[in-house]
Amino acid sequence: MKVNVHAVNFTVDRKLVDFINERLGKLEKFYDKVVSSDVFLKVDNTSEKENKIVEVKIHVPGDDFMVKKQCKTFEEAVELSSESLERLLVKRKEKIRAHS
């Protein structure tokens, strides 16, 4: 699966990109038809500690899934996003199985 990482208004370090690729790569275990994903990393300019926003958009044939999480670290937000996507992909797979 192709993972596109977009950092909004800052430069993302290689370690974070590798982490995102590795974590989202695991999603293919749950649903093998994932075409690509776009990851948007943003920093919210507030005084709150939880100011890291991660939006993940996953493209599968006939559908797109979008998850947005806000946490203290990008790693934590990516982790939560991928867990949500795992559940969405498993649901989709079950729905497709039920129809065929």
Side-chain angles (χ1 to χ4, degrees):
M1 167 179 57
K2 182 154 177 40
V3 179
N4 303 312
V5 179
H6 310 276
V8 182
N9 297 330
F10 71 97
T11 313
V12 63
D13 72 327
R14 186 82 230 147
K15 219 164 75 178
L16 183 57
V17 173
D18 291 342
F19 175 79
I20 292 167
N21 281 321
E22 184 187 325
R23 193 63 189 90
L24 293 182
K26 292 178 182 172
L27 292 176
E28 289 183 293
K29 280 191 242 168
F30 300 94
Y31 191 75
D32 55 0
K33 292 178 176 67
V34 177
V35 179
S36 67
S37 63
D38 290 304
V39 181
F40 296 92
L41 306 172
K42 299 174 188 165
V43 178
D44 201 9
N45 290 332
T46 61
S47 58
E48 289 178 45
K49 283 190 167 54
E50 293 193 355
N51 66 342
K52 311 288 189 298
I53 301 170
V54 171
E55 287 181 28
V56 183
K57 190 173 185 182
I58 291 232
H59 309 284
V60 296
D63 223 343
D64 283 352
F65 295 108
M66 179 86 172
V67 173
K68 183 178 181 179
K69 297 290 178 194
Q70 187 165 346
C71 296
K72 286 183 184 137
T73 66
F74 284 122
E75 288 81 1
E76 187 183 356
V78 168
E79 198 67 43
L80 291 173
S81 299
S82 63
E83 285 168 10
S84 295
L85 287 164
E86 279 171 20
R87 288 190 292 277
L88 284 169
L89 293 173
V90 167
K91 267 189 204 162
R92 176 170 172 86
K93 197 174 188 177
E94 286 167 0
K95 197 189 276 182
I96 289 172
R97 274 212 189 111
H99 289 291
S100 53

